[in-house]
C-alpha cells in the first residue's frame, strides 16, 4: 500500500463492500488544544475511530521522552479495539500538517502492519471536497491484529549520534528550536551535534497536501542526502520526525531510522552535548 491515499480513493473504498473497507483512524491532536476528541464529536469521516496520540500512539512520558513508543501489548489492545485486523488496510488522518497521521502510519508499520496510509490533505481536504461527515461515534467489531515490533528501524541516542557523524541525521523541528534560540518544552536548547535542520513543515504544500515525490527528492538532495546513504530523523518528541520518514519514503529513500525519544530524550541527559546555531556543529 502506498504511504498516501487521496480523498477520492478513500471515499471510493468506504463506499465499497463492507468487508473490503479500510479501518479509518482519526488522530487529530493539538499541543495547545482544543482536544482532538472534541473535533471528532463535531464531525469526522464516517466510520472513523478516534485514536488519541497521547494515550494510544505513545507511551507514558518520562525518561524515554514526551512521546515514547507505546508498550506493544497496550498498542495491540488499542488497535484491536479500533477494529484493526490483519490484512485490512488502515488510513489515518489529522486536520493539521499530516505529522500526527504520519506518526500513526509509522507506528503501524513499526508494529508489522504494512497496509497503512495517510489521507493526503487530511480532514480539511475531505470536507473541502464535499465528502460526507458523521457525528456518530464509531463502534467497530474488535480486530485481531498482532503487534510485532521491528517493522521500521528505531534509533537510540547513541545510534542517532553516530548517524549524525557517519550518515545524515535530520532534525525536523523549526529552525529557531534547532538553532537553540528558543526551547519552550524540553530541558535544554540546541540540537544533536552534526544533525542537519529539515523542518517538517516543508513537506506540505500551500494546499495542505504532501509535495510530489520529485520535489521531496530534490529537497532531501539539497540537504545533503546521497543515494544509498544511511539517514534518520528526530524532532522534539518523535512525532513530527515520523513525517520526515514518510517524506523520505515518498522521495525514494525508504527505511529511514527514527530516533523515537528525540530531543525530549536527548536533552534530559546533561552528559550529552548540544550544538547551537544554524550549522550542524
Amino acid at each position: 500500500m502506498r504511504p498516501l491515499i487521496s480523498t477520492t480513493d478513500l471515499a471510493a473504498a468506504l463506499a465499497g463492500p463492507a468487508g473490503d473497507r479500510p479501518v479509518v483512524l482519526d488522530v487529530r491532536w493539538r499541543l495547545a488544544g482544543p482536544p482532538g476528541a472534541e473535533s471528532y464529536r463535531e464531525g469526522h469521516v464516517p466510520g472513523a475511530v478516534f485514536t488519541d496520540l497521547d494515550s494510544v500512539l505513545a507511551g507514558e512520558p518520562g525518561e524515554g521522552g514526551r512521546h515514547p513508543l507505546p508498550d506493544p501489548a497496550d498498542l495491540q489492545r488499542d488497535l484491536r479495539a479500533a477494529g484493526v485486523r490483519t490484512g485490512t488496510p488502515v488510513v489515518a488522518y489529522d486536520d493539521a500538517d499530516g505529522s500526527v497521521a504520519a506518526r500513526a502510519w509509522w507506528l503501524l508499520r513499526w508494529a508489522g502492519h504494512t497496509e497503512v496510509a495517510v489521507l493526503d490533505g487530511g480532514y480539511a481536504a475531505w470536507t473541502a471536497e464535499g465528502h460526507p461527515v458523521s457525528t456518530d461515534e464509531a463502534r467497530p467489531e474488535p480486530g485481531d491484529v498482532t503487534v510485532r515490533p521491528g517493522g521500521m528501524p528505531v534509533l537510540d541516542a547513541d545510534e542517532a549520534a553516530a548517524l549524525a557523524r557517519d550518515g545524515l541525521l535530520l532534525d525536523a523541528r523549526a529552525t529557531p528550536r534547532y538553532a537553540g534560540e528558543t526551547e519552550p518544552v524540553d530541558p535544554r536548547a540546541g540540537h544533536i551535534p552534526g544533525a542537519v535542520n529539515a523542518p517538517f513543515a516543508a513537506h506540505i504544500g500551500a494546499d495542505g497536501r504532501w509535495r510530489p515525490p520529485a520535489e521531496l527528492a530534490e529537497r532531501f538532495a539539497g540537504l545533503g542526502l546521497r543515494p544509498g546513504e544511511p539517514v534518520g530523523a528526530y524532532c522534539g518528541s518523535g512525532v513530527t520526525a515520523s513525517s520526515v520518514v514518510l517524506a523520505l519514503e515518498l522521495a525514494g529513500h525508504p527505511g529511514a531510522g527514527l530516533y523515537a525519544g528525540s530531543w525530549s530524550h536527548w536533552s534530559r541527559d546533561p552528559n550529552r552535548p548540544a550544538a547551537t546555531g544554524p550549522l550542524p556543529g
Side-chain angles (χ1 to χ4, degrees):
M1 190 173 188
R2 295 178 179 177
L4 297 180
I5 186 172
S6 70
T7 52
T8 301
D9 286 347
L10 177 59
L14 292 177
D20 296 335
R21 294 171 191 166
V23 173
V24 181
L25 303 181
D26 181 317
V27 297
R28 284 179 280 182
W29 178 87
R30 304 169 193 88
L31 182 62
E38 291 185 9
S39 299
Y40 174 83
R41 286 191 289 269
E42 292 170 0
H44 51 265
V45 173
V49 179
F50 179 71
T51 306
D52 184 57
L53 169 65
D54 293 317
S55 61
V56 177
L57 304 181
E60 289 289 333
E63 291 299 320
R66 287 185 282 111
H67 288 114
L69 299 183
D71 177 82
D74 292 342
L75 179 62
Q76 177 172 292
R77 177 200 64 212
D78 292 333
L79 292 178
R80 288 184 175 187
V84 178
R85 303 186 64 82
T86 300
T88 298
V90 176
V91 176
Y93 71 86
D94 58 36
D95 62 356
D97 48 40
S99 60
V100 180
R103 167 67 174 227
W105 168 86
W106 184 91
L107 193 63
L108 267 78
R109 291 277 300 271
W110 170 79
H113 193 83
T114 58
E115 295 295 301
V116 56
V118 168
L119 178 62
D120 197 11
Y123 191 66
W126 180 266
T127 55
E129 294 172 6
H131 295 293
V133 299
S134 173
T135 56
D136 296 333
E137 181 177 357
R139 300 184 183 279
E141 292 291 324
D144 64 358
V145 67
T146 298
V147 169
R148 296 183 176 90
M152 294 289 274
V154 179
L155 305 174
D156 62 22
D158 291 339
E159 290 167 335
L163 188 59
R165 294 191 308 267
D166 305 326
L168 182 63
L169 181 64
L170 300 174
D171 184 319
R173 295 173 300 164
T175 299
R177 287 187 70 191
Y178 169 85
E181 297 169 4
T182 183
E183 183 44 69
V185 185
D186 294 317
R188 289 186 290 150
H191 60 266
I192 297 174
V196 174
N197 194 205
F200 73 94
H203 303 146
I204 304 297
D207 61 357
R209 289 177 168 82
W210 290 73
R211 295 189 183 278
E215 288 187 18
L216 293 172
E218 182 178 2
R219 177 172 188 258
F220 289 122
L223 291 169
L225 180 59
R226 299 183 297 271
E229 181 180 29
V231 60
Y234 78 99
C235 56
S237 66
V239 175
T240 58
S242 301
S243 72
V244 178
V245 176
L246 191 154
L248 282 163
E249 182 153 324
L250 291 172
H253 302 282
L258 177 72
Y259 178 18
S262 284
W263 189 250
S264 65
H265 174 258
W266 181 281
S267 61
R268 296 176 69 90
D269 185 348
N271 294 316
R272 294 197 179 278
T276 56
L279 299 178

